[in-house]
Each structure stands twice: as C-alpha cells, then as structure tokens.
C-alpha cells in the first residue's frame, strides 16, 4: 500500500524558477516529514524536514509548506539552479524511539533545471 | 569517516543464484535498514534492525533474509534470486537525535543488481 503519494513524477524548469513538489499522506499517526535529495549514482541525502506543529520551514533556498488538515506537504525550491537537478523524495514517519526511524517514501520526482 | 559503505557496487546474477549484499557503517548508529529502489516506486523498506541483535520485516521482505552481524554491519541475502529482484539496493543507518527528536537516515551509495 502506498501511504505517501508524490507528484509530479517529473518536472522541468528554467534556472531561477520555483519548482514545487507535492506529497499527500494517509496515516494520521505520521509526525515527521523529511525530504531527501538524490543525485544520479548516489544514495539519497536528507535535505530538510518538518514536524506538523509548524506550517512552514525554510533552510536556504528550500522551503517545506505543511497543511495538517489536508494531510499534504510540499517542497519549494527558490531561485532554482542547474545543480538542483536531482530526484527528490518526500517521506513520512512517526518520530521517536518506537519507530526506529522507519520511513515511508513517496514515488520520487525527477527535477531538471535548465540553464 | 566513510559513513555507510556497500559492496558490491554492481552484480549480475542468474535466476536461482544466491548472493549477499554487505553494508557497514562507522557512525556508531544503532539502527540500520535495507531498501530497494525501483522506477516510479520510490524506496521501499525490505528489513530493518533497530539495534544489534534485532531484525524485523519492512514493507517488502519476501525473498530476502538479513543478518545484523554486529553494531557496524548489516547484510542482505538473496537465497534464490528472481528477475523481480532486479533493483538498486540501498543500506542506511540512523540514530535518534537532533532538534526534531527524529532519525536522520544516512544512505550508502547503493548496489545495482540485475537478475537474468
């Protein structure tokens, strides 16, 4: 069962554009929502994460927006650069000791930023 | 500090052959995981180990076995490989930490496995 649905599958923007990737989750027990970035031939790496007690979190050019009532969250990349071209995964978990960090991932979005 | 290492990087198997994927981490993490990555499917958890001496099934455990050899090493075994197991396999490790009180997972570089 796919508990985290991610869209779009692929996204092409021009340099300086603001790509937006969306995710929706089903399990209301989830309370930790990370985004991972993956470059070709590499493993994913944590980009930014949020807990549902805030509606927005910014780290540099990356922003997570969170809508708890809609069970949706999204990643915005400001002033996108060709170096941001990668695959992005959203994920969800319940934080804390008993989850042991098990993550449920979305399907991934391949982002291409043209110069 | 190598982080998470995986061997081999690439492997081709014939249907029915067996093999073990090796994973090691040098960050003193308690938790380790095995995922598979398939196009359009994201990463799916195969098995995880919350701590040394414990293992548990994830979302897609069928056809796989694991061994948590010690705190550093967590191996994944395919006893009788099938074409459906053609995938990229990632090992990860984590520890409960940070301001969010959560687990940041650190991934290895992956093993690309083809079963013919």
């Amino acid at each position: 069962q796919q508990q985290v649905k991610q869209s779009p599958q692929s996204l092409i923007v021009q340099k300086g554009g603001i790509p937006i990737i969306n995710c929706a989750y089903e399990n209301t027990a989830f309370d930790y929502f990370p985004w991972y970035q993956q470059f070709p031939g590499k493993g994913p790496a944590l980009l930014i994460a949020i807990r549902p007690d805030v509606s927005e979190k910014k780290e540099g050019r990356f922003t997570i927006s969170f809508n708890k009532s809609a069970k949706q969250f999204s990643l915005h990349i400001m002033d996108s650069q060709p170096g941001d071209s990668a695959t992005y995964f959203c994920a969800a978990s319940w934080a804390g000791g008993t989850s042991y960090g098990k993550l449920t991932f979305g399907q991934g979005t391949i982002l291409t930023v043209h110069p | 500090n190598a982080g998470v290492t995986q061997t081999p990087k690439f492997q081709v198997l014939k249907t029915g052959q067996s093999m073990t994927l090796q994973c090691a981490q040098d960050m003193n993490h308690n938790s380790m995981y095995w995922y598979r990555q398939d196009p359009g499917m994201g990463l799916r958890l195969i098995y995880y180990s919350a701590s040394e001496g414990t293992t548990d099934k994830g979302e897609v455990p069928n056809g796989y076995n694991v061994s948590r050899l010690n705190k550093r090493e967590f191996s994944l075994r395919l006893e009788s490989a099938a074409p459906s197991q053609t995938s990229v396999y990632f090992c990860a490790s984590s520890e409960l930490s940070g301001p969010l009180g959560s687990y940041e997972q650190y991934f290895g570089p992956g093993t690309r496995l083809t079963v013919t």
Side-chain angles (χ1 to χ4, degrees):
Chain A
Q1 70 282 14
Q2 182 57 258
Q3 295 190 51
V4 178
K5 294 185 178 179
Q6 183 173 345
S7 62
Q9 277 194 311
S10 62
L11 190 53
I12 301 173
V13 299
Q14 294 295 125
K15 178 182 174 182
I18 305 176
I20 300 172
I21 304 170
N22 301 298
C23 285
Y25 64 98
E26 299 171 1
N27 189 342
T28 55
F30 288 148
D31 63 356
Y32 171 64
F33 302 90
W35 284 88
Y36 281 78
Q37 180 187 54
Q38 183 183 31
F39 293 106
K42 305 290 186 183
L46 180 66
L47 186 63
I48 185 173
I50 197 169
R51 288 281 203 110
D53 52 347
V54 296
S55 60
E56 186 176 275
K57 182 175 181 179
K58 291 183 181 180
E59 286 187 5
R61 296 183 293 106
F62 299 92
T63 299
I64 300 179
S65 298
F66 191 86
N67 185 329
K68 187 174 181 179
S69 60
K71 294 189 288 185
Q72 294 176 348
F73 57 110
S74 59
L75 177 70
H76 302 230
I77 305 175
M78 304 302 178
D79 188 28
S80 59
Q81 301 296 313
D84 296 328
S85 297
T87 300
Y88 292 82
F89 293 98
C90 61
S93 177
W94 51 100
T98 58
S99 75
Y100 304 114
K102 289 182 292 181
L103 290 170
T104 299
F105 283 88
Q107 297 93 326
T109 297
I110 301 171
L111 172 66
T112 303
V113 181
H114 286 313
Chain B
N1 189 341
V4 179
T5 57
Q6 292 182 236
T7 55
K9 285 187 167 49
F10 301 94
Q11 184 72 49
V12 179
L13 291 178
K14 292 188 187 327
T15 298
Q17 287 185 318
S18 62
M19 78 162 296
T20 300
L21 282 64
Q22 306 287 353
C23 173
Q25 52 95 6
D26 62 2
M27 295 173 282
N28 202 37
H29 287 166
N30 278 302
S31 299
M32 297 186 73
Y33 319 83
W34 276 104
Y35 292 92
R36 60 178 289 174
Q37 182 177 10
D38 302 291
M41 302 289 287
L43 291 104
R44 292 180 292 169
L45 183 65
I46 305 172
Y47 270 93
Y48 70 100
S49 171
S51 61
E52 184 179 354
T54 69
T55 61
D56 210 341
K57 296 177 181 178
E59 182 185 351
V60 288
N62 291 344
Y64 306 95
N65 284 301
V66 291
S67 295
R68 184 73 184 266
L69 304 169
N70 48 55
K71 191 171 185 178
R72 290 187 64 249
E73 298 172 288
F74 188 37
S75 63
L76 178 72
R77 182 159 179 85
L78 287 71
E79 291 291 352
S80 179
S84 60
Q85 294 179 304
T86 293
S87 187
V88 181
Y89 292 85
F90 288 99
C91 176
S93 71
S94 73
E95 192 66 50
L96 185 63
S97 66
L100 295 185
S102 55
Y103 290 81
E104 175 181 348
Q105 292 194 15
Y106 294 82
F107 284 79
T111 294
R112 187 173 295 276
L113 175 67
T114 302
V115 183
T116 60

